[in-house]
């Protein structure tokens, strides 16, 4: 394989690792609500990633990434914490702006 | 009794005739609320952006509080890698920034934040950053 193709594949793998770590960490944040428990569990998650830090075989890395992604999928929180105003949060679209077609008339009398 | 009541009513009428409150004309005489007033009823219609100086200060404070970072190398223009952070550390820093500003950054956008200036630009242009 040419070095450019190898470098491109490595870069893609690094991006997949970052996205996987982010998803895993957000999962841990949803599951472990108390902060002290969260720090302990996040450290454990980090160590699992650090164990495989120095691999160079592309196939092994791809396989590990696939396993990691399926594990994150399996332990996905059913009701993850989303910031209230974001889509999926509790405050999303709570007070939508009044559409411009609606006009309020003051002093309306029957 | 009847005479007292009618004379009281006469006094009532004359008092009211002489005590008149000047009527104040309302600013909008048409009586219709236009689009401007109606749209400002809910705050989420237009975003509330943070000051850039505040954003810079808070972002640098969050980055400095990370234990793995080299405090002398933290600046607005440095990338996270220059500050001594791993790629996994960068993910942690982005998550800490999300918690600081109460943001929800999609995964694709979060992957693009690789330096302090990226983070500052993103947060300063986000309408719902707190």
């Amino acid at each position: 394989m040419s070095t450019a193709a190898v470098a491109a594949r490595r870069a893609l793998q690094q991006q997949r690792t970052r996205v996987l770590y982010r998803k895993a960490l957000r999962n841990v944040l949803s599951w472990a609500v108390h902060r002290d428990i969260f720090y302990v569990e996040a450290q454990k998650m980090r160590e699992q990633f650090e164990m495989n830090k120095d691999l160079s075989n592309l196939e092994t890395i791809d396989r590990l990434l696939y396993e990691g992604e399926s594990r994150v999928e399996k332990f996905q929180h059913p009701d993850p914490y989303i910031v209230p105003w974001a889509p999926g949060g509790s405050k999303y679209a709570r007070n939508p702006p009044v559409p411009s077609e609606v006009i309020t008339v003051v002093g309306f009398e029957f | 009794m009847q005479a007292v009541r009618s004379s009281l009513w006469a006094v009532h009428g004359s008092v009211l005739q002489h005590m008149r409150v000047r009527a104040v004309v309302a600013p909008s005489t048409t009586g219709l609320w236009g689009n401007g007033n109606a749209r400002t009823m809910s705050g989420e219609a237009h975003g509330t952006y943070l000051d850039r100086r505040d954003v810079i200060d808070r972002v640098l404070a969050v980055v400095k509080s990370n234990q793995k970072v080299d405090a002398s190398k933290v600046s607005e223009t440095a990338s996270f890698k220059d500050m001594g952070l791993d790629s996994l550390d960068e993910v942690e820093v982005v998550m800490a920034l999300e918690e600081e500003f109460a943001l929800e950054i999609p995964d694709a956008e979060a992957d693009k934040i690789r330096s302090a200036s990226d983070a500052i630009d993103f947060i300063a242009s986000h309408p719902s950053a707190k």
Side-chain angles (χ1 to χ4, degrees), chain B residues 21-78:
Chain B
V21 179
R22 187 177 298 279
V24 177
V25 177
S28 61
T29 52
T30 58
L32 286 170
W33 280 359
N35 293 345
N37 285 347
R39 212 172 271 282
T40 54
M41 270 201 264
S42 61
E44 283 96 31
H46 50 269
T48 55
Y49 296 86
L50 292 175
D51 283 337
R52 199 176 167 87
R53 194 66 243 169
D54 289 338
V55 171
I56 294 172
D57 292 337
R58 282 166 75 181
V59 165
L60 292 182
V62 165
V63 172
K64 276 183 196 148
S65 69
N66 193 343
Q67 285 159 351
K68 295 176 198 170
V69 80
D70 194 359
S72 60
K73 296 196 187 131
V74 173
S75 74
E76 288 169 32
T77 51

Side-chain angles (χ1 to χ4, degrees), chain A residues 15 18 21-23 25-26 29 35 46 49-50 82-83 85-86 95-98 100 103-106, chain B residues 31-33 35 39 42 45 68 86 88-89 91-92 95 98-99 102-105 107 110-111 114 126:
Chain A
Q15 189 195 9
R18 283 198 298 270
Y21 184 56
R22 190 177 146 83
K23 283 201 173 96
L25 213 53
R26 293 198 76 101
L29 188 60
R35 268 286 142 159
R46 178 72 195 254
F49 274 79
E50 293 277 337
I82 302 176
V83 171
W85 52 261
N95 286 322
V98 181
S100 55
I103 310 171
T104 307
V105 179
V106 175
Chain B
L32 286 170
W33 280 359
N35 293 345
R39 212 172 271 282
S42 61
K68 295 176 198 170
D86 203 1
L88 296 184
D89 293 326
V91 173
E92 288 181 4
M95 277 200 61
E98 276 189 336
E99 292 193 346
L103 291 175
E104 182 87 9
I105 309 178
D107 291 336
D111 203 39
R114 312 303 293 275
H126 198 104

